[in-house]
Amino acid sequence: MFGMSWADTIRIFLMGIFILVGIALTILVLMQESKHSGLSGTISGVADTYWGKNKGRSMEGKLVLITRILVIAFILIAIVLNIKF
């Protein structure tokens, strides 16, 4: 491909994926709710509600799962891109 080696082609492809994963990760982190509840959580205490029990199946739970997967992909791609081959 235009006089490039296979390693250069793979590196360019991984850089594109790396950029897309970084953008997606930024958007997902900004979409998540804050973890601290402030003064209202201190006064009312921690209530075991339906929302708290089923948080893993909610949209927030899915955002957390996707964020974890993208963080792992981001780190792995960063490691691969730093290998000299």
Side-chain angles (χ1 to χ4, degrees):
M1 186 172 134
F2 306 114
M4 294 189 308
S5 68
W6 63 273
D8 292 334
T9 306
I10 292 174
R11 187 174 299 276
I12 290 171
F13 176 74
L14 284 176
M15 281 186 208
I17 298 296
F18 188 69
I19 291 169
L20 291 176
V21 168
I23 292 169
L25 193 57
T26 303
I27 292 169
L28 282 174
V29 167
L30 291 174
M31 287 174 60
Q32 292 180 17
E33 294 178 8
S34 176
K35 297 295 180 194
H36 54 70
S37 57
L39 187 58
S40 64
T42 306
I43 294 171
S44 65
V46 178
D48 197 19
T49 62
Y50 177 77
W51 176 258
K53 291 180 183 176
N54 294 311
K55 194 169 187 177
R57 289 185 237 150
S58 67
M59 183 64 160
E60 182 69 22
K62 290 177 185 171
L63 286 176
V64 170
L65 176 65
I66 295 170
T67 303
R68 288 179 183 164
I69 292 169
L70 286 178
V71 165
I72 292 169
F74 189 84
I75 292 170
L76 290 176
I77 294 171
I79 290 170
V80 170
L81 283 173
N82 281 310
I83 295 174
K84 302 292 181 193
F85 56 94

